[in-house]
Amino acid sequence: MQLVVARIGRAHGIKGEVTVEVRTDEPELRLAPGAVLATDPASAGPLTIESGRVHSGRLLLRFEGVRDRNAAEALRNTLLIADVDPDELPEGEDEYYDHQLIDLDVVTVDGTEVGRITEVSHLPSQDVFVVERSDGTEVFVPFVQEIVTEIDLEEQRAVIDPPPGLIDDRAEIASPRDDSA
């Protein structure tokens, strides 16, 4: 199975280094020197990581054969793809790969069917499930422990305890707005 592990950003310096937007929880494993990664577009790769370092909180990579700024800049926006054994599991107990979560049925704690996870969006503040409902509409469910109470891979379901208004119109207004002021 192939998983996107990073996206190449802009060139850094003049010796072929690039910034990367990491899209894996295991960069030390997936983006280590010697790793050979497929690319999207395929014509840019495969790429072999020669070295990596962190600079100002950003991961910088250098690839074999990429020796100058022009070659590095030509790789901008290329996706880096790792081959992963589909049976491989993340190291942490409550960690999941996106492919394990896609297509899970989503139900509330009382058993009400909500829909099916079609995408996991990795936002800066948290991950979000994109859940498609039976009527074709989508609802966005933050992947946080307070809302997603259980992931059951054997039963292929995610159990959620949504606050009012997340998946329906039961939102409660805490205090009415006073427009007279």
Side-chain angles (χ1 to χ4, degrees):
M1 166 178 294
Q2 294 192 318
L3 297 177
V4 174
V5 293
R7 183 183 65 81
I8 298 176
R10 61 182 176 76
H12 179 83
I14 60 171
K15 296 183 180 178
E17 283 185 312
V18 294
T19 61
V20 292
E21 174 189 310
V22 177
R23 294 190 180 174
T24 176
D25 288 339
E26 302 168 319
E28 66 285 345
L29 173 67
R30 308 281 181 218
L31 301 172
V36 179
L37 302 167
T39 60
D40 182 7
S43 59
L47 295 172
T48 302
I49 297 175
E50 185 175 286
S51 64
R53 66 186 177 103
V54 176
H55 176 73
S56 297
R58 263 227 187 271
L59 180 61
L60 303 178
L61 294 180
R62 178 174 293 148
F63 300 101
E64 290 180 6
V66 178
R67 294 285 167 243
D68 61 34
R69 185 173 186 85
N70 290 338
E73 193 60 40
L75 295 173
R76 190 176 201 157
N77 293 321
T78 298
L79 297 177
L80 299 176
I81 303 166
D83 280 317
V84 177
D85 180 345
D87 296 326
E88 181 181 328
L89 298 175
E91 291 179 9
E93 182 180 322
D94 289 331
E95 294 179 1
Y96 303 94
Y97 291 129
D98 289 1
H99 72 271
Q100 294 175 297
L101 300 170
I102 302 294
D103 288 333
L104 291 185
D105 293 322
V106 179
V107 298
T108 61
V109 290
D110 66 6
T112 304
E113 291 184 19
V114 177
R116 183 178 54 83
I117 299 172
T118 58
E119 182 182 341
V120 180
S121 288
H122 302 281
L123 305 177
S125 59
Q126 67 196 17
D127 295 339
V128 175
F129 293 157
V130 178
V131 179
E132 184 177 310
R133 304 175 115 183
S134 60
D135 64 3
T137 61
E138 293 181 332
V139 63
F140 301 99
V141 178
F143 187 20
V144 294
Q145 191 171 11
E146 295 80 19
I147 297 174
V148 181
T149 60
E150 178 186 357
I151 298 289
D152 187 337
L153 296 178
E154 286 185 23
E155 294 291 323
Q156 287 291 288
R157 69 181 186 151
V159 179
I160 64 171
D161 188 8
L166 182 67
I167 60 171
D168 57 27
D169 294 330
R170 295 181 295 134
E172 297 172 13
I173 298 174
S175 62
R177 198 178 337 173
D178 184 8
D179 291 335
S180 62

